[in-house]
Amino acid sequence: VDMSEVTSSFDLFPVTSWTLLDVVSGRMEGDEAQALDRLLTIYLPAMKAHLMYTWSMPPDRADDALQSFVAEKVMARRILKYVDRSRGRRFRHFLRTALNRYIISLYRKEQAQRRSPGQHALVSLETTDEQALATDVPRDTDAFDVVWAQGLIEETLRRMQQACQQSNRAHFYALFEQRVAHPCLHDIE
């Protein structure tokens, strides 16, 4: 975001970029690939944390699942065209719901493959992956929101620092960082 567009202190807080979503969905002219890259840069860390902590996925499996989700749903099926701010849909909720449904379908496919021997010999029930069965239901902790909030705070602090520097008030940001941001972020009283 160009800081010259900032009109009030509330504008410093990052919000869903509907312009990027409109470009990605084809509702607005622009470089779709660049807009999608920017959206993924913003959202992939939170999505990965969501998979790791809510679905108990190891990092490599979370990366694989995200890559499949982006390839199959975001790029091939173009699900982002269904996000509609006029219907009051929150993008983060839409994205998390789509990802959860995708993961559920992956688990169902895996379970079906285990039940069906296909071209392979039958597998004993004792050899099923107990961890995969135990992770079918997400835990109450929602890492997506935690990582998203951390990203928002980082982006907000970066924008605030930039705004202070551009208005020749870098000393205000340094004071804010020392007395407010650092103690809050590092649990210092």
Side-chain angles (χ1 to χ4, degrees):
V1 171
D2 180 11
M3 290 306 291
S4 64
E5 296 174 3
V6 174
T7 58
S8 74
S9 61
F10 293 106
D11 291 334
L12 293 175
F13 293 94
V15 295
T16 299
S17 175
W18 291 104
T19 303
L20 284 175
L21 280 167
D22 287 344
V23 170
V24 170
S25 66
R27 289 187 291 263
M28 182 180 221
E29 290 291 322
D31 186 348
E32 287 185 40
Q34 185 179 10
L36 179 60
D37 182 57
R38 180 70 181 127
L39 276 175
L40 292 176
T41 299
I42 293 168
Y43 285 94
L44 281 179
M47 293 168 66
K48 181 176 180 179
H50 175 70
L51 293 179
M52 290 172 54
Y53 297 107
T54 303
W55 290 91
S56 301
M57 283 188 185
D60 58 330
R61 184 163 178 179
D63 287 335
D64 291 344
L66 279 176
Q67 183 176 3
S68 297
F69 173 75
V70 169
E72 293 175 27
K73 298 295 182 182
V74 176
M75 296 178 78
R77 303 274 310 270
R78 300 181 56 85
I79 63 167
L80 298 183
K81 69 181 177 185
Y82 299 109
V83 178
D84 184 7
R85 67 177 146 179
S86 68
R87 292 182 20 209
R89 279 206 147 154
R90 291 178 47 202
F91 178 63
R92 288 182 315 187
H93 177 75
F94 175 87
L95 191 60
R96 186 175 33 203
T97 300
L99 180 60
N100 282 338
R101 289 177 180 170
Y102 181 76
I103 297 305
I104 289 168
S105 71
L106 283 182
Y107 278 130
R108 286 179 179 159
K109 285 178 189 174
E110 288 174 7
Q111 294 301 318
Q113 286 176 347
R114 286 191 183 124
R115 288 189 305 268
S116 173
Q119 298 176 348
H120 306 288
L122 291 174
V123 178
S124 169
L125 290 176
E126 286 79 33
T127 63
T128 60
D129 184 0
E130 293 176 9
Q131 182 183 7
L133 294 174
T135 59
D136 278 350
V137 178
R139 295 185 311 197
D140 290 337
T141 307
D142 199 349
F144 184 94
D145 286 334
V146 172
V147 173
W148 175 253
Q150 289 170 340
L152 286 177
I153 291 169
E154 288 173 10
E155 179 67 10
T156 301
L157 291 175
R158 183 191 66 75
R159 289 180 182 189
M160 182 179 175
Q161 182 179 23
Q162 186 179 17
C164 286
Q165 288 172 345
Q166 287 179 347
S167 63
N168 294 324
R169 294 182 174 179
H171 58 285
F172 286 137
Y173 181 79
L175 184 64
F176 170 79
E177 183 177 41
Q178 178 185 13
R179 295 202 177 161
V180 178
H182 184 75
C184 288
L185 296 175
H186 301 289
D187 202 22
I188 299 171
E189 291 185 23

